[in-house]
Amino acid sequence: MLRFLQKYKQVFLYAASLVALLLLLQVLQYKFLLLSHSFEIYILCIAILFTCLGIWLALKLVKPKKEIETIVVEKTVYQQELTEADKEAMERERQKLGLSNRETEVLQLMAEGLSNQEIAERLFLSLATIKTHSSNLFLKLDVKRRTQAVEKARQLGLIA
Amino acid sequence: MLRFLQKYKQVFLYAASLVALLLLLQVLQYKFLLLSHSFEIYILCIAILFTCLGIWLALKLVKPKKEIETIVVEKTVYQQELTEADKEAMERERQKLGLSNRETEVLQLMAEGLSNQEIAERLFLSLATIKTHSSNLFLKLDVKRRTQAVEKARQLGLIA
DNA sequence: GCCTATTTCATACTTTAGTATGAGCACTCT
DNA sequence: AGAGTGCTCATACTAAAGTATGAAATAGGC
């Protein structure tokens, strides 16, 4: 119930101001009626006033929705979760290039920015082994450096 | 001039309907005035009517923008094109980290997998300069290697 | 004008990356 | 059993990356 009141706070505020204005107008109506020709101007003023209030109200109610949309969009862009289809595409690309399991593992860790030494420690292998794997990897990917390998793997969808 | 008319078509239509309604009200005003107690109701009706018109007008003017935003969003998600919003986010992140123009350029080319030598040739600079830039870049990004820098930049949205 | 940040370059040095080559082991397929 | 493949490791070497330090020119702000 409190949430409902908070959500439609604008509406209630608007309703309150509407009542207040009507009271004010009721007090002033006799003076305006004395000037019979000013009646149209009086109506016009009311029309313009409430039109502006309507526009203001509409904009107030619409803007928050836009912000929420934007937030959702950012989540969509940055989270980039892996679907089964993505994984299958990665597997197909992997086999097309003839990458072995270890080579794929090394590539993955390379993309995370690890050095050969760090990759070796992570996989409980020697530095020499990682160098061998990465050299073979570069041959298969037809690149010369690890940075190129990462970039190419990203383009081929081998990496998230 | 025609463009101006087209752009504010809604406004003119609204103005026309306002005039029409005022005329209608002028015709009907005597009947309402006969019922002196109905004056408040009369004003209330006008207020509500024009409020609704205001809301309608505001929504008509706002909705097209929302649609444009949505289209832009879809491009971001599926086509991976850079939107103005993305560029602004990149700029904000860039300033937050205190990256200079050159450092950002070098980072961009690093992410493409270029070697320091290639970056130097691309930017018509010496190898030493690129090394200096990349060293400063690593300090600002708090990383130790170019591969880490690229990975971090990607996570921060500094890179497409 | 002075100060600061940026950009540029150089030189010397250390570390990491990458290549080439060879070799041993395990597994599979024929 | 032999051939092939994948994984492991080593050594020696070259190339590239990264660090440290100094220096000079330029542009913008106070």
Side-chain angles (χ1 to χ4, degrees):
Chain A
M1 196 60 189
L2 272 171
R3 276 192 178 179
F4 181 83
L5 284 174
Q6 272 197 323
K7 195 173 180 181
Y8 294 99
K9 190 179 161 191
Q10 306 279 1
V11 178
F12 286 115
L13 275 174
Y14 178 60
S17 65
L18 193 146
V19 170
L21 273 164
L22 281 178
L23 287 173
L24 184 69
L25 291 170
Q26 199 168 16
V27 173
L28 295 174
Q29 78 177 96
Y30 299 106
K31 293 182 183 175
F32 275 102
L33 280 176
L34 290 178
L35 305 162
S36 61
H37 277 291
S38 301
F39 186 76
E40 291 87 347
I41 297 171
Y42 174 56
I43 296 293
L44 188 67
C45 287
I46 292 174
I48 291 171
L49 193 66
F50 279 90
T51 300
C52 290
L53 280 170
I55 291 172
W56 171 80
L57 185 67
L59 289 177
K60 279 279 172 184
L61 288 175
V62 165
K63 268 190 178 175
K65 284 184 183 175
K66 280 175 69 178
E67 281 175 25
I68 287 167
E69 268 187 59
T70 309
I71 289 167
V72 168
V73 162
E74 284 179 359
K75 279 188 177 177
T76 309
V77 173
Y78 295 126
Q79 280 189 355
Q80 299 266 3
E81 283 182 14
L82 284 183
T83 66
E84 285 305 315
D86 289 335
K87 287 179 184 171
E88 281 172 26
M90 280 169 60
E91 186 56 30
R92 261 181 284 120
E93 200 65 44
R94 202 178 76 91
Q95 288 186 353
K96 194 190 297 174
L97 292 166
L99 297 189
S100 70
N101 288 348
R102 277 306 201 192
E103 284 160 0
T104 310
E105 264 182 301
V106 171
L107 176 60
Q108 215 89 38
L109 296 175
M110 262 186 191
E112 292 179 21
L114 300 189
S115 67
N116 286 339
Q117 185 60 56
E118 286 166 341
I119 296 174
E121 286 164 10
R122 186 78 72 88
L123 299 179
F124 305 104
L125 298 176
S126 83
L127 177 59
T129 307
I130 303 304
K131 283 188 177 185
T132 306
H133 285 319
S134 54
S135 253
N136 294 333
L137 188 57
F138 299 155
L139 281 177
K140 291 178 182 176
L141 282 176
D142 189 32
V143 296
K144 293 200 168 185
R145 280 173 293 283
R146 66 211 285 101
T147 44
Q148 273 185 2
V150 171
E151 172 65 9
K152 188 148 192 175
R154 219 175 279 277
Q155 284 179 357
L156 292 175
L158 273 167
I159 280 175
Chain B
M1 195 61 189
L2 272 172
R3 277 192 177 178
F4 181 83
L5 284 174
Q6 271 197 322
K7 194 173 181 182
Y8 294 99
K9 191 179 159 190
Q10 306 279 2
V11 178
F12 286 115
L13 274 174
Y14 178 60
S17 65
L18 194 147
V19 171
L21 273 163
L22 280 178
L23 287 172
L24 185 67
L25 291 169
Q26 199 169 19
V27 172
L28 296 173
Q29 79 178 97
Y30 299 106
K31 292 181 183 176
F32 276 102
L33 279 177
L34 290 176
L35 307 160
S36 61
H37 278 290
S38 303
F39 186 75
E40 291 86 345
I41 297 172
Y42 173 55
I43 297 292
L44 188 67
C45 288
I46 292 174
I48 291 171
L49 193 66
F50 279 90
T51 300
C52 290
L53 278 171
I55 290 172
W56 171 80
L57 185 66
L59 289 177
K60 279 280 170 182
L61 288 174
V62 166
K63 264 190 178 176
K65 286 182 184 174
K66 277 180 70 180
E67 281 173 24
I68 288 168
E69 263 192 59
T70 310
I71 290 166
V72 167
V73 160
E74 284 175 0
K75 278 188 177 178
T76 308
V77 173
Y78 298 120
Q79 291 190 354
Q80 297 274 4
E81 280 183 14
L82 283 182
T83 65
E84 287 304 316
D86 289 332
K87 287 179 185 172
E88 280 173 27
M90 281 169 58
E91 184 57 29
R92 261 182 284 121
E93 200 65 42
R94 203 177 75 90
Q95 287 187 353
K96 194 190 295 174
L97 293 167
L99 297 190
S100 70
N101 289 349
R102 276 306 199 192
E103 283 159 2
T104 310
E105 263 182 301
V106 171
L107 176 60
Q108 216 90 38
L109 296 175
M110 262 184 193
E112 292 179 22
L114 300 189
S115 68
N116 286 338
Q117 186 61 54
E118 287 166 340
I119 296 174
E121 285 164 10
R122 185 80 71 91
L123 299 179
F124 303 104
L125 298 175
S126 83
L127 177 59
T129 307
I130 304 302
K131 285 188 175 184
T132 306
H133 285 320
S134 56
S135 253
N136 294 332
L137 188 58
F138 299 156
L139 281 178
K140 290 178 181 175
L141 284 176
D142 190 31
V143 295
K144 292 200 168 183
R145 282 173 291 283
R146 65 212 285 97
T147 43
Q148 273 186 2
V150 170
E151 172 66 10
K152 188 150 193 175
R154 219 176 280 277
Q155 284 179 357
L156 292 176
L158 272 167
I159 280 175

